[in-house]
Amino acid sequence: KHMEKTNEFMCDQCGRTFQKKYNLIKHLESGIHDVSETVKCALCEFRAQNRKIMGEHYQQFHGISLKESNAYFKTADEFYLWKNEFESQTKSRFVKMSSSRKRKNGFIRSTYFCHRDGNFIPKGRNLRHLKVKGSNKINAHCPAKMDVDIGERIVIVSYITTHLGHELDVTRMSLDRTDRAVIANKLAHRVPFEQILYEINSPSKDSELKRVNYLTRKDLWNIVDTFKINPKNVVYSKTRLRRKKKIEKPKKEPKRKRMCYKYTNQKSDNTDGNEIMVNNGEEVKYATDGQVIAINQGDEENIIICPVLKEENEEYSQEYALVSDETGGTYYIVNAEGELESISGHQVMYTEDGEVKLCETSSEIRNEELSQQTQSVLLVQESMEDNVHELVTLNESYCLTSDQVKKEHGRSPVKLSKTTTMNKTFEPDNSDRNIAFVPKQKPIVHINVNELPENEQTIRLIKTEKEIDCDLDIPLKENSSNEELKNQQVTGAGEELEVENSPEYEVTIANYEEGEENGYVIVAADEDFNQCTVISDIGPTEDEFDQSDYTLKTSENVTLKDEDSVQSTVKEEVVDTYVMDEEESTVVLEEEPQWNEKRKEVLHKLLNVHNMINNEKQLKFFSKNISSLEHVLKALSKSDETVPQLSESNIPCEKRQEEGNPKNSCR
DNA sequence: ACACCCACAGAGGATACAAC
DNA sequence: GTTGTATCCTCTGTGGGTGT
């Protein structure tokens, strides 16, 4: 059937041409094609002995010019990166049919063919049905390929981009290894299936759809299997969560309504694994800086008080968290699979940069201890409302109330008018305060004062997780001239502090560790502490700061960057509310909790947790991270003297702590 | 829909073989 | 000897099947 084309007689098996029909017949009779020809034309029934002949067939008989290009790279890595990108763009994949081979010119030749090229060759025992959409192999030859010569200094790529016999179907491709690792990471962090699928299957409009954008639940299960993630701890559905809660929770109080609050900060970019499961099945949320906030309603609260512990391997990292049990009495590590492990046998270490890790050997602990000379910690309490900024220092019982620092509505200047004696009590019904203790993105911020060498007029502020982006060397007022202070944005006496256009404006008071060089300053910072400026020093000593008639020295316009103008908000969302003894879950909105009471309860819990550590080393290291917490607790203990006592049920360890050795009170 | 099991397609490497 | 291709083997990823 091909003979008329060129007045020659061409073998439709191998493509060879003969001048006479007789020669063609002899050719066929020679048995040369007894072995089945495996290269089949993608457009007709023509078969050829090899791909080269088939390429000629495509060009000569079908008139298809195979588009050929060249590319050059310095290294093999560059080539592989390009190949990945090329495959992603062209929705195709090029695979090796056989191993690379060294050529006589020194280059290593690898030939990549279109992954859809070739014949489907069944293997196995035919016990399984074929794939619904059929094999990737098209039982024909697709001419697209890459010839790659890898030399010492150059990589030469000659490639054909013309695909024949199949569509460029992205769903035929396999998941990228990187994508799989990312997804595995999310799964290990207990990100629910629904969330992963929603995120990945909703690409931005301008982006090309990739294989990963067609992710299915089946893919997720495959990844769970491949990465050896414990399926029991994969959050594959909310149904399972509910079911698990019902099974695991003893029915202590029938018909008691339970509620789990999920706090979502819109500015948070922590999308991977912001929920973990603790032993009673409640959901908690990591703060983005690694601190953990967790206040669960109900009778089985879990207080997570330590930063997340990270364990990383080549493929993905896993996070752990330290939690107390429901009574605040025992420490556990929540591993990546949501299981509780006792802390015994491990030491929690805090590295200089604020990272946390577990050490098992005493030498490791000693080394870590020697490397840690960081000093005090500051705890900042922020107000949530943009018209009130509450300052709480955690040293002893000092506390600035909202009366002392007020910001008018709109963009009016902020006046730091005067400071009276800091209240030593927490006013029960102060709504501002209540809101202030609603867990938000960073309700507690630790700032270490690091390296304060003698005779140096500098204070270096270092945040535990992320270094504060501000002038690191800030002279104290008494050591600097007015000009210098002005340049450093340190305020002068009696002047008015204006904060322009800073809805994200936060004011904190920093108290530095004991020592003659220590002082008190007000730090203005944005919510994420990306911008931080000392706007007023208050006094060099704690005593001076304690003076009741001390007036804040304010001056200097301070403009804080409002980077994205996104108001930081806390969304309070009821994610799962149901009646324990009922079959079906019932969503019930409850009233906003009384956060002042909640605050006290939490603080008592934290105190109990702190007190229950009876290991000196643990206590020491632990205290480094939560020494500010200790200040809070001291303040709380003083405030308890002037406020009505909390009920015992709310503070289960309080009484025991008063009675005996607090270190063992909760064991 | 989940929780498995497991067949097997497909990729890649080593090697053999054949054509040139 | 060089090069293209086939075959075999191993490993990984995919997906069909089935009981719950």
Side-chain angles (χ1 to χ4, degrees):
Chain A
K1 57 185 172 184
H2 298 300
M3 69 177 81
E4 295 175 0
K5 188 173 178 69
T6 59
N7 288 330
E8 291 181 339
F9 297 92
M10 186 169 67
C11 172
D12 62 357
Q13 299 292 307
C14 65
R16 282 189 67 181
T17 56
F18 302 90
Q19 295 292 329
K20 297 180 179 179
K21 186 178 180 181
Y22 171 78
N23 290 337
L24 172 60
I25 293 172
K26 296 294 284 184
H27 166 78
L28 292 172
E29 289 177 352
S30 68
I32 191 171
H33 298 317
D34 285 352
V35 180
S36 61
E37 306 295 341
T38 56
V39 182
K40 180 185 172 298
C41 175
L43 305 175
C44 68
E45 294 303 313
F46 176 72
R47 288 180 176 272
Q49 203 170 8
N50 56 49
R51 292 181 175 84
K52 187 178 180 182
I53 296 173
M54 185 57 71
E56 293 170 357
H57 168 78
Y58 282 135
Q59 299 193 55
Q60 293 177 4
F61 188 76
H62 293 290
I64 297 171
S65 63
L66 303 179
K67 189 178 178 183
E68 192 164 355
S69 305
N70 293 301
Y72 305 91
F73 306 93
K74 289 180 180 176
T75 65
D77 289 340
E78 283 185 21
F79 159 68
Y80 293 129
L81 285 174
W82 171 82
K83 179 171 176 284
N84 281 337
E85 182 64 25
F86 181 77
E87 290 172 338
S88 177
Q89 288 179 355
T90 59
K91 298 177 182 175
S92 61
R93 187 134 186 251
F94 291 83
V95 299
K96 280 183 176 181
M97 290 293 185
S98 61
S99 59
S100 304
R101 170 175 278 163
K102 189 164 187 175
R103 310 183 77 182
K104 63 179 180 180
N105 58 9
F107 284 86
I108 296 174
R109 162 65 67 93
S110 301
T111 304
Y112 294 85
F113 293 95
C114 171
H115 77 129
R116 305 212 53 189
D117 172 46
N119 298 325
F120 166 64
I121 302 171
K123 290 186 280 191
R125 292 168 288 165
N126 198 24
L127 297 176
R128 212 187 75 180
H129 286 184
L130 294 178
K131 286 193 274 187
V132 169
K133 62 180 179 182
S135 169
N136 277 356
K137 300 301 180 186
I138 59 173
N139 292 320
H141 174 56
C142 172
K145 71 165 190 173
M146 287 183 186
D147 286 326
V148 183
D149 287 325
I150 300 177
E152 290 186 359
R153 296 181 179 178
I154 190 171
V155 177
I156 303 170
V157 182
S158 173
Y159 59 102
I160 296 173
T161 59
T162 304
H163 292 266
L164 292 176
H166 63 92
E167 299 293 326
L168 296 175
D169 186 0
V170 69
T171 63
R172 291 280 185 179
M173 299 171 71
S174 56
L175 282 169
D176 184 77
R177 290 175 68 89
T178 307
D179 291 333
R180 290 171 59 83
V182 169
I183 293 167
N185 196 18
K186 289 175 182 286
L187 292 170
H189 284 71
R190 309 184 61 78
V191 179
F193 275 23
E194 285 87 349
Q195 186 176 339
I196 295 174
L197 293 170
Y198 175 79
E199 290 173 0
I200 292 180
N201 293 341
S202 306
S204 58
K205 290 179 180 177
D206 56 344
S207 66
E208 285 284 330
L209 288 176
K210 299 178 180 178
R211 168 63 179 85
V212 72
N213 299 131
Y214 294 91
L215 197 71
T216 65
R217 299 181 74 87
K218 185 68 175 177
D219 291 326
L220 294 177
W221 278 113
N222 287 335
I223 292 170
V224 167
D225 184 52
T226 304
F227 284 78
K228 310 296 181 194
I229 301 168
N230 189 345
K232 292 179 181 177
N233 296 295
V234 173
V235 185
Y236 52 77
S237 76
K238 292 175 182 174
T239 309
R240 179 173 182 265
L241 278 180
R242 290 202 178 95
R243 218 182 285 158
K244 189 173 181 180
K245 285 177 189 173
K246 287 185 177 181
I247 293 171
E248 292 186 352
K249 294 239 179 185
K251 295 180 180 178
K252 289 181 179 177
E253 292 178 305
K255 296 188 178 181
R256 177 186 175 89
K257 291 178 181 178
R258 297 189 51 76
M259 176 177 282
C260 173
Y261 287 93
K262 178 182 179 183
Y263 300 102
T264 307
N265 191 302
Q266 293 176 341
K267 292 190 73 175
S268 170
D269 56 0
N270 181 21
T271 57
D272 52 347
N274 57 8
E275 292 175 3
I276 65 170
M277 184 76 72
V278 291
N279 60 328
N280 66 351
E282 297 288 354
E283 290 177 343
V284 296
K285 176 175 170 56
Y286 291 140
T288 54
D289 60 354
Q291 303 292 332
V292 180
I293 51 177
I295 302 175
N296 292 338
Q297 291 287 89
D299 56 345
E300 297 179 48
E301 294 178 357
N302 287 273
I303 310 299
I304 299 183
I305 54 172
C306 284
V308 175
L309 311 177
K310 280 194 173 180
E311 176 185 281
E312 296 184 357
N313 59 27
E314 291 180 356
E315 298 292 343
Y316 58 94
S317 65
Q318 294 187 342
E319 290 184 352
Y320 300 81
L322 290 182
V323 300
S324 67
D325 67 0
E326 59 199 44
T327 64
T330 306
Y331 267 125
Y332 295 99
I333 297 168
V334 177
N335 64 19
E337 296 177 343
E339 297 167 344
L340 290 179
E341 298 173 357
S342 170
I343 195 175
S344 58
H346 295 80
Q347 299 283 356
V348 184
M349 306 298 299
Y350 298 90
T351 60
E352 282 182 320
D353 56 0
E355 292 292 328
V356 181
K357 67 175 186 177
L358 289 179
C359 297
E360 295 190 25
T361 64
S362 56
S363 62
E364 198 174 354
I365 294 168
R366 270 199 302 278
N367 292 337
E368 196 69 34
E369 189 177 5
L370 287 173
S371 69
Q372 296 186 37
Q373 299 297 328
T374 54
Q375 299 178 27
S376 74
V377 177
L378 164 73
L379 186 143
V380 179
Q381 183 61 49
E382 304 165 338
S383 172
M384 294 296 301
E385 290 188 345
D386 60 0
N387 63 334
V388 176
H389 294 270
E390 183 174 343
L391 310 180
V392 179
T393 65
L394 300 168
N395 189 351
E396 301 300 332
S397 59
Y398 303 130
C399 175
L400 283 176
T401 68
S402 57
D403 295 328
Q404 289 144 7
V405 180
K406 281 189 176 176
K407 178 186 175 188
E408 304 296 331
H409 287 283
R411 297 184 177 182
S412 302
V414 172
K415 288 185 178 181
L416 298 178
S417 55
K418 68 174 184 177
T419 305
T420 58
T421 303
M422 307 309 166
N423 286 342
K424 296 186 178 183
T425 63
F426 296 109
E427 299 167 14
D429 294 324
N430 186 322
S431 60
D432 296 335
R433 288 174 169 277
N434 293 342
I435 293 171
F437 258 80
V438 174
K440 52 171 288 188
Q441 185 178 5
K442 291 179 182 178
I444 297 174
V445 178
H446 296 277
I447 299 177
N448 286 342
V449 177
N450 185 31
E451 295 178 359
L452 194 60
E454 291 183 2
N455 303 323
E456 272 198 38
Q457 302 166 4
T458 62
I459 293 174
R460 186 168 298 171
L461 295 177
I462 293 177
K463 194 161 163 282
T464 52
E465 291 294 316
K466 184 167 60 176
E467 191 165 324
I468 296 172
D469 182 15
C470 68
D471 293 330
L472 292 180
D473 298 329
I474 305 169
L476 288 177
K477 184 187 173 189
E478 62 271 20
N479 295 321
S480 306
S481 69
N482 288 337
E483 275 300 312
E484 287 171 338
L485 290 175
K486 209 169 186 178
N487 293 335
Q488 297 288 343
Q489 292 188 318
V490 175
T491 58
E495 295 179 277
E496 185 177 83
L497 168 69
E498 291 186 1
V499 178
E500 298 178 351
N501 189 26
S502 56
E504 301 293 332
Y505 156 81
E506 306 284 354
V507 175
T508 70
I509 289 181
N511 70 315
Y512 301 118
E513 199 56 85
E514 302 131 10
E516 291 186 359
E517 282 84 1
N518 297 332
Y520 291 81
V521 298
I522 290 179
V523 178
D526 65 358
E527 187 182 34
D528 292 325
F529 275 79
N530 289 323
Q531 301 294 324
C532 180
T533 308
V534 172
I535 58 174
S536 175
D537 63 325
I538 297 173
T541 67
E542 185 176 323
D543 291 336
E544 187 175 346
F545 183 62
D546 196 18
Q547 290 173 8
S548 61
D549 57 350
Y550 188 83
T551 302
L552 289 179
K553 301 168 183 174
T554 62
S555 74
E556 204 64 41
N557 292 342
V558 178
T559 303
L560 298 178
K561 283 187 180 178
D562 181 16
E563 292 182 351
D564 49 9
S565 298
V566 177
Q567 182 73 29
S568 172
T569 59
V570 171
K571 270 171 82 175
E572 191 173 292
E573 176 188 355
V574 177
V575 295
D576 195 6
T577 302
Y578 56 89
V579 180
M580 284 298 292
D581 62 345
E582 287 184 5
E583 193 63 28
E584 297 296 328
S585 299
T586 307
V587 176
V588 180
L589 285 172
E590 291 189 356
E591 293 179 0
E592 184 176 318
Q594 294 301 311
W595 286 106
N596 202 50
E597 289 302 312
K598 176 58 62 183
R599 170 189 194 176
K600 290 178 182 176
E601 293 179 24
V602 169
L603 291 176
H604 278 293
K605 290 274 189 182
L606 294 176
L607 179 62
N608 291 331
V609 170
H610 185 257
N611 287 339
M612 72 90 191
I613 301 178
N614 57 4
N615 180 299
E616 284 298 318
K617 283 186 177 176
Q618 282 187 12
L619 186 62
K620 183 176 180 181
F621 292 124
F622 186 74
S623 297
K624 281 186 178 178
N625 197 54
I626 61 165
S627 60
S628 57
L629 171 65
E630 200 172 2
H631 293 314
V632 174
L633 299 173
K634 285 180 183 176
L636 179 62
S637 63
K638 291 187 178 181
S639 72
D640 280 344
E641 297 170 2
T642 56
V643 297
Q645 290 294 315
L646 297 171
S647 66
E648 274 188 31
S649 61
N650 289 338
I651 41 174
C653 290
E654 181 69 13
K655 188 178 178 183
R656 279 173 286 171
Q657 176 197 332
E658 291 169 357
E659 287 173 356
N661 180 8
K663 302 292 183 192
N664 300 319
S665 60
C666 294
R667 289 283 181 194

